[in-house]
Amino acid sequence: MEPDKSSNADRITREIPTSRDPYFDNAKFLAVALVVVGHAWEPLRGAAVGGRVLGAGQSFIYAFHLPVFIVMCGYFSRGFSRSRNRTRKLVAAIVVPYVLFSAVYVVYTEFLAGRHMRWDPLEPYYLTWFLPALLAWRLSVPLWQQLRFPIAIGLAVAIWLFAGLVTLPSMLDAVQVLSFLPFFVLGLILGPRHFALLRRPAIRVAGALTLVAGAAAAYVLESSVDPEWVHWRRSFAELGVGAPSGVGFRVLALGAAALLTAAFLAVVPARRTWFSRLGAASMYAYLLHGFVTLFLSYQGWYYRISGWQVPVLTFGCVLLAVVLMTDPVRKTFRWAVEPRLEWLFR
């Protein structure tokens, strides 16, 4: 993926897509469906429900589903530094939904748990960490666009490594913000020609085989590798390993994430599908599904499911994602997910 001889900023401006490409909406739909499944499986894995298969499946999903989402966020942030009304977009699409959902999720958990919880806007709760992370990444766009390709990637990886070497404060989930940064920067650098390369038949076959191999590796390693390595939220000290081992594990996790992300994007359908239109509303599924998965995590019966019930649960999660991206849900919750704030600005 060699950069053009012109500057990154000029190249990015030329390659901004002018119309919706169903390929990216398909990718967003599939990625957010995996997010929903992953959040539903996580409490079950913690309670040893589902055995080795569910544990391996959850590690496999977490190895690439967020990197996929973040690469696309970077890709569609390429015109951010040149767009008009940048402040309005950040406030309406990120700041207001974050404040609203972070507070509501805390109140909702208070109700479920039957105990008082303190809301701190600087301490993202549950899945809301992604919004301040996206805010930080987008604010950094002008910096990355001024750097040459190898320097931008090298700096992002250095920051990613720093997040593991040092135990950072929990404020705004700094560890995850810095750990996922390389994927956002990669998305900024990639252009349509790179995604076109992934759509070639041979690459698509290789991608499918890579995903199968990744799932098999996750199954083999399930009992011997801490799943926290693919969650990117703990320092080496918190994981109980020294710097040399930590760097080695982190490099392997980053390589696996990059490879599986490319493989996933290679197998995403390029044509318009029945879920292409839904993918345009992926943020609705992301922000709203937590009310269901959190509810389930506080139900005693949820931890007694087994056998055929796990696949049924998984199918139900995909169905939930579909429902949350439909037009009725979008119309009902647009005020929260995509608030119109014309009255706020001059």
Side-chain angles (χ1 to χ4, degrees), residues 53 55-64 206-222 230 255-257 259-261 263-264:
V53 172
Q58 206 231 1
S59 290
F60 176 65
I61 287 175
Y62 270 83
F64 68 90
L209 293 175
T210 299
L211 290 176
V212 171
Y219 183 81
V220 171
L221 298 172
E222 194 277 331
V230 295
L259 183 62
L260 291 172
T261 295
F264 177 86

Side-chain angles (χ1 to χ4, degrees), residues 104-123:
V104 170
Y105 267 116
V106 168
V107 174
Y108 182 64
T109 305
E110 277 189 336
F111 170 75
L112 292 175
R115 58 183 174 84
H116 175 69
M117 294 183 63
R118 182 176 65 90
W119 176 64
D120 184 345
L122 297 180
E123 297 282 347

Side-chain angles (χ1 to χ4, degrees), residues 153-217:
I153 289 295
L155 179 58
V157 170
I159 293 172
W160 157 85
L161 186 58
F162 172 79
L165 288 168
V166 178
T167 301
L168 296 169
S170 59
M171 185 175 67
L172 296 179
D173 270 21
V175 176
Q176 286 185 295
V177 173
L178 300 183
S179 293
F180 285 109
L181 177 62
F183 299 102
F184 183 81
V185 175
L186 179 63
L188 280 174
I189 292 171
L190 296 177
R193 67 189 187 280
H194 300 125
F195 288 98
L197 178 65
L198 290 175
R199 301 183 200 185
R200 292 182 179 178
I203 301 297
R204 292 171 66 84
V205 171
L209 293 175
T210 299
L211 290 176
V212 171

Side-chain angles (χ1 to χ4, degrees), residues 44-261:
L44 297 180
R45 180 177 192 166
V49 174
R52 187 172 184 177
V53 172
L54 186 142
Q58 206 231 1
S59 290
F60 176 65
I61 287 175
Y62 270 83
F64 68 90
H65 75 326
L66 276 176
V68 166
F69 217 79
I70 294 165
V71 165
M72 288 187 290
C73 285
Y75 180 73
F76 287 103
S77 296
R78 295 175 306 150
F80 174 75
S81 61
R82 283 177 159 75
S83 66
R84 302 178 63 184
N85 302 324
R86 285 171 292 179
T87 301
R88 297 187 184 195
K89 292 177 181 178
L90 288 176
V91 172
I94 299 177
V95 176
V96 171
Y98 169 66
V99 172
L100 178 62
F101 278 95
S102 63
V104 170
Y105 267 116
V106 168
V107 174
Y108 182 64
T109 305
E110 277 189 336
F111 170 75
L112 292 175
R115 58 183 174 84
H116 175 69
M117 294 183 63
R118 182 176 65 90
W119 176 64
D120 184 345
L122 297 180
E123 297 282 347
Y125 180 68
Y126 198 37
L127 53 76
T128 60
W129 73 271
F130 185 77
L131 291 177
L134 182 57
L135 176 64
W137 295 329
R138 282 200 169 154
L139 288 174
S140 71
V141 166
L143 166 65
W144 304 112
Q145 290 183 335
Q146 293 301 314
L147 299 176
R148 294 184 181 275
F149 168 76
I151 296 175
I153 289 295
L155 179 58
V157 170
I159 293 172
W160 157 85
L161 186 58
F162 172 79
L165 288 168
V166 178
T167 301
L168 296 169
S170 59
M171 185 175 67
L172 296 179
D173 270 21
V175 176
Q176 286 185 295
V177 173
L178 300 183
S179 293
F180 285 109
L181 177 62
F183 299 102
F184 183 81
V185 175
L186 179 63
L188 280 174
I189 292 171
L190 296 177
R193 67 189 187 280
H194 300 125
F195 288 98
L197 178 65
L198 290 175
R199 301 183 200 185
R200 292 182 179 178
I203 301 297
R204 292 171 66 84
V205 171
L209 293 175
T210 299
L211 290 176
V212 171
Y219 183 81
V220 171
L221 298 172
E222 194 277 331
S223 60
S224 57
V225 176
D226 191 332
E228 282 296 327
W229 287 109
V230 295
H231 284 257
W232 308 94
R233 59 191 178 191
R234 301 283 186 269
S235 67
F236 301 158
E238 291 172 315
L239 289 170
V241 299
S245 298
V247 170
F249 278 120
R250 206 158 225 258
V251 168
L252 288 174
L254 181 65
L259 183 62
L260 291 172
T261 295

